[in-house]
Amino acid sequence: MSIKLNALFSDSYVDVSQYRDQHFKGNRYEQEKLLKQSNTLYVGNLSFYTTEEQVYELFSKSGDVKRIIIGLDKVKKTACGFCFVEYYTRADAENAMRFVNGTRLDDRIIRTDWDAGFKEGRQYGRGKSGGQVSLHRR
Amino acid sequence: QPVMSKLFISVVSWLVAFAINHRVGGQSHKRRRTSEPIEIEDRLESLICRVGEKSTSSLESNLEGLAGVLEADLPNYKNKILRILCAVARLLPEKLTVYTTLVGLLNARNYNFGGEFVEAMIRQLKETLKANLYTEALYLVRFLSDLVNCHVIAAPSMVAMFENFVSVTQEEDVPQVRSDWFVYVVLSSLPWVGKELYEKKDVEMDRLLNQIDGYLKRRLKTHVPMLQVWTAEKPHPQEEYLDCLWAQIQKLKKDRWQERHILRPYIAFDSVLCEALQHNLPPFTPPAHTPDCQYPVPRVVFRVFDYTDAPEGPVMPGSHSVERFVIEENLHNIIKSHWKERKTCAAQLLSYPGKNKIPLNYHIVEVIFGELFQLPCPPHIDVMYTTLLIELCKLQPGSLPQVLAQATEMMYMRLDTMNTTCIDRLLNWFSHHLSNFQFRWSWDDWADCLAMDADKPKPKFVKEVLEKCMRLSYHQRIVDIVPPTFSALIPAEPIFFYKYQDEANSKCAGYAVAITVGNAIKNRASNEEILTVLKDVPNPNQEDDDDEGEGFNPLKIEVFLQTLLHLAAKSFSHSFSALAKFHEILKALTDCDEGKLHILRVVYEVWRNHPQMISVLVDKLIRTQIVDCAAVANWLFSPNMAHEFTRFYVWEILHSTIRKMNKHVQKIQKELEEAKEKLEKQQHKKDSGDEEDMERNSEDEDGQLEEQIERLQEKVESAQSEQKNLFLVIFQRFIMMLTEHLVRCETGSVDFNTPWYKNCIERLQQIFLMHHVTIQQYVGTLENLLFTAELDHHILAVYQQFCALQL
């Protein structure tokens, strides 16, 4: 009975993107595996003033949030526009990818992507002056 | 002939173009590039799934072409084609008539195939019923009934199936929801096939409808009040779903089954189809009821618009017209099919066939809110609806936002009679929606709420909305977005209240120790050192000096926790770190129930202006086992919190607590299941007699597993006991509060139906509704201990309504 009709029922918001963390310790295969199992999301395009509280409120709409790590400028140690959101379950993270990604937080359209998992040190921007690399490119 | 080959070429070239598009871009299929047949099967699937979508050719020519292609593929791919067609029948109800037409064309070309398809459908129907997939079973029956229109199935055999369904209403000792479902299936197929069945078998159909009429008159409606979004009958009655459908079918019958809304591609093929030979459905006996059966829960039809609300353009079909039913069914089905893909979902909703004849935006908004407010629960996660509405606004910026605003306005006007659970969902949606549109709203339109008492639904709603908006922004933003006249409804600034703040409080008991503890923490003193400092805190509860420092000392808790939380007040992360770092001390201080309760009181005292912080701290305290779920329930119901009892955040915390408890039980049950499965596998290996394996599978391993299973079994029992206790505590508290209120009102000859009472009784309902699956397990205990006949009938009614959900 159970034929899935792949042609129709896509779930594209949950797909892994093209981005790969260049500092990831491990090979491509391992990174992909972790991304496909991950409960953690990277969140980008935050305002520098966006607080942990605001992130909690928004991301709680797709499930219970385990923890939030606000991204910091490596030098100034102030918020620099990104964060990590970790859920207790993958299903809750998937719903965030489907329904929170691409909507507004603090008036900015935020972007979420799968993350292989938070490790100490990854909360710091890797740009030359301490902030995010992506901000340099603009 | 030239026409056919042109069609064939266009279909094949479409196939090729589609296949090319399929490889580039989005969808991740695992394709094996080697075997051709697999690729052809995938293409067949695509072709069948895509027929009926936007195309340069007409639907009729696409169907004709596809029928030709499939007929040609029958010799090699018959089974695959059968499975795909059965799947679309089950999973794509919004395209029902497209696929019944396709099957009709195939049957006309190949009678045997038609017969095999019908057989496959019947097998599938049996399987879905066995698997409790009642919605899918419904779609299958509806599909079969429309096949009568396509000359695939003979009308008399369809009538016979319907007769068997309706005879379920004669069964004794079965849940009402069982016979409800079978009646619903018959009635909800009639818009498609009523005309044809009446033309062929009017006597039998009249008898059938009379039986249904009799059943509907005698069935119980105990469940209805619990499921209604509004308690008022005006302006739109919240009808029970079977009653509404019955009224719609009766009107359809009066109109001599003339139904003009459903798209019927088979009409264009009538000359071909009426030449086809029909099949008879085999006699179908509904499977007997078993305790495992879980029938769909009853519903109430949500209406917020009627024909007077769409100002220009096409008129909205009346609430008892069958068109209304069909439109709503199709829109619900589109959401069901595409809810994960919000852009596709929005596009599909907006390209609904026949949209020019109806005020589509109004239907869409009504259907979406209908799902969001559905009781007990929405079909999909709440946040999906917010995001879907945003997508719709993006696609129709000139028209949809206005309809949405109109709906919001109407719901605001009717807050007085709106179910509290639905008000929760409305304010969650509204605040989240506003945060995506710079919080722009015509607040002045709601100035009427300013003159009302703060506990009335309208000002309460605005206040809670603003509080939720603040969580997504910040205090000053809220001050800026509302007119100055609304200042009384602006939430408090989320500041910390520290008891030992300054010299002014130096007379406070424990002040000196608080300063010392604060310094100790700042200087990274060890837990032992801090506990030593805390020994100096006198215990207001005890007079003797031989207090060894054990036992509940509220002042000690207060001094430590206030100071700790004060130092960590900067952010959630700081507070969580603090709780983690001093977990040992907190555990020691709260070893008893009173200690746990007091910790929660202190958290409230310091953070009473920041409900969100209270929420997350309570969550952490439960997860780190400093307090248990029952303590949280007792705290929320305690006299200290009575003034907060109608605040939204209190119920957020309570439901979150219940959910944590439920997830905890489920987790251990899963571990137990997995361990049992592992043991079974191991024993199976033993039995299969592989000597090598037998040697490796020492008795030890089995013994270890058995021990683990025993431990897990105990853990499950203990968790379930805790869960049951939690519900007992909650229900007991409700009963006490409500009884007290009712008695007081009666003796004082005062109307009991105050805003507080409405909130309280609906919150009790909400507990049942949100957790009805879990609570089912404990019904026996609840009935024996709490919801007895001695209870005030207002309270007992809520319990009876809950029971009626699965009766």
Side-chain angles (χ1 to χ4, degrees), chain A residues 1 3 5-13 52-54 56-58 61-62 64 66 68 88 95 98-99 101-104 107, chain B residues 29 45 50 90 92 127 337 339-343 381 383-384 387 432 436 468 471-473 477 571-573 576 612 620 623 663:
Chain A
M1 170 175 83
I3 136 174
L5 293 185
N6 294 322
L8 216 59
F9 298 119
S10 68
D11 197 1
S12 63
Y13 285 86
E52 194 186 344
E53 285 84 333
Q54 291 164 328
Y56 243 101
E57 178 67 16
L58 181 62
K61 292 184 185 293
S62 73
D64 291 334
K66 187 169 179 184
I68 292 173
Y88 289 98
N95 276 333
R98 292 182 191 118
F99 307 121
N101 186 15
T103 66
R104 288 185 194 267
D107 292 320
Chain B
H29 289 119
E45 199 180 286
R50 299 274 178 222
R90 200 176 88 242
L92 291 177
E127 281 166 18
S337 292
W339 66 275
K340 289 181 186 168
E341 293 275 5
R342 65 208 211 207
K343 286 192 163 60
I381 187 174
V383 69
M384 184 278 285
T387 312
H432 187 188
N436 273 272
K468 273 283 178 175
R471 291 197 197 186
L472 288 167
S473 58
R477 190 80 196 279
S571 75
F572 288 0
S573 283
F576 296 160
Q612 192 196 15
K620 269 294 179 277
R623 289 189 192 271
K663 283 189 185 161

Side-chain angles (χ1 to χ4, degrees), chain B residues 84-372:
Chain B
I84 298 171
L85 289 174
C86 282
V88 299
R90 200 176 88 242
L91 299 172
L92 291 177
E94 64 270 24
K95 288 170 76 178
L96 175 73
T97 51
V98 169
Y99 291 118
T100 52
T101 307
L102 180 63
V103 172
L105 291 173
L106 286 172
N107 180 58
R109 291 158 189 251
N110 187 321
Y111 177 77
N112 286 335
F113 178 77
E116 286 187 66
F117 176 76
V118 172
E119 276 168 24
M121 285 285 282
I122 294 293
R123 272 199 304 276
Q124 211 186 191
L125 178 60
K126 289 192 177 130
E127 281 166 18
T128 49
L129 287 174
K130 213 164 155 200
N132 278 322
L133 295 170
Y134 289 96
T135 313
E136 293 185 8
L138 168 75
Y139 299 150
L140 291 174
V141 175
R142 201 181 278 167
F143 195 95
L144 289 172
S145 69
D146 200 45
L147 285 178
V148 172
N149 293 325
C150 300
H151 299 261
V152 177
I153 291 179
S157 70
M158 194 71 225
V159 175
M161 180 184 251
F162 282 173
E163 281 169 346
N164 281 349
F165 281 10
V166 175
S167 68
V168 170
T169 60
Q170 305 300 319
E171 287 176 7
E172 287 176 1
D173 295 325
V174 293
Q176 182 175 284
V177 284
R178 170 181 164 82
S179 28
D180 279 356
W181 185 80
F182 284 98
V183 166
Y184 182 70
V185 168
V186 172
L187 288 179
S188 70
S189 302
L190 292 183
W192 281 265
V193 75
K195 181 153 183 274
E196 188 66 25
L197 293 185
Y198 249 84
E199 268 171 27
K200 298 275 154 61
K201 286 276 179 184
D202 61 334
V203 172
E204 287 80 356
M205 287 301 294
D206 269 336
R207 199 187 310 138
L208 206 67
L209 290 187
N210 279 336
Q211 269 186 293
I212 292 177
D213 192 19
Y215 172 71
L216 292 178
K217 287 197 168 90
R218 64 175 191 268
R219 72 191 268 272
L220 299 171
K221 308 263 202 50
T222 324
H223 53 276
V224 174
M226 194 179 233
L227 304 177
Q228 287 175 314
V229 173
W230 288 287
T231 53
E233 282 294 299
K234 291 184 160 54
H236 303 108
Q238 300 293 290
E239 279 185 289
E240 209 266 352
Y241 78 113
L242 270 183
D243 289 341
C244 184
L245 181 55
W246 178 243
Q248 288 162 335
I249 296 301
Q250 293 210 287
K251 183 163 185 297
L252 178 63
K253 182 173 178 211
K254 247 199 217 141
D255 293 339
R256 286 156 359 116
W257 304 100
Q258 299 301 325
E259 188 290 318
R260 275 175 255 278
H261 180 82
I262 295 174
L263 204 71
R264 298 176 194 259
Y266 38 82
I267 294 178
F269 293 103
D270 198 49
S271 53
V272 168
L273 294 176
C274 70
E275 297 292 310
L277 291 173
Q278 297 168 312
H279 305 266
N280 282 316
L281 279 174
F284 186 90
T285 323
H289 173 70
T290 70
D292 288 336
C293 291
Q294 277 175 346
Y295 304 100
V297 170
R299 296 189 301 286
V300 163
V301 177
F302 176 81
R303 288 279 156 73
V304 72
F305 291 129
D306 60 37
Y307 68 93
T308 59
D309 291 310
E312 324 135 337
V315 177
M316 194 172 223
S319 58
H320 284 167
S321 72
V322 87
E323 281 76 23
R324 195 72 178 262
F325 173 78
V326 172
I327 293 165
E328 287 167 0
E329 270 292 289
N330 284 335
L331 294 178
H332 281 299
N333 290 338
I334 290 173
I335 296 174
K336 188 166 192 276
S337 292
H338 300 287
W339 66 275
K340 289 181 186 168
E341 293 275 5
R342 65 208 211 207
K343 286 192 163 60
T344 308
C345 196
Q348 291 280 344
L349 287 170
L350 289 171
S351 58
Y352 180 70
K355 61 183 176 178
N356 297 321
K357 301 195 205 123
I358 54 175
L360 182 61
N361 286 344
Y362 284 85
H363 285 290
I364 290 175
V365 166
E366 191 175 67
V367 162
I368 288 177
F369 279 124
E371 289 203 8
L372 181 61

Side-chain angles (χ1 to χ4, degrees), chain B residues 510-518 533-534 536-538 559 563:
Chain B
Y511 177 83
V513 183
I515 305 292
T516 317
V517 167
V533 172
L534 288 172
D536 289 339
V537 178
V559 164
T563 306

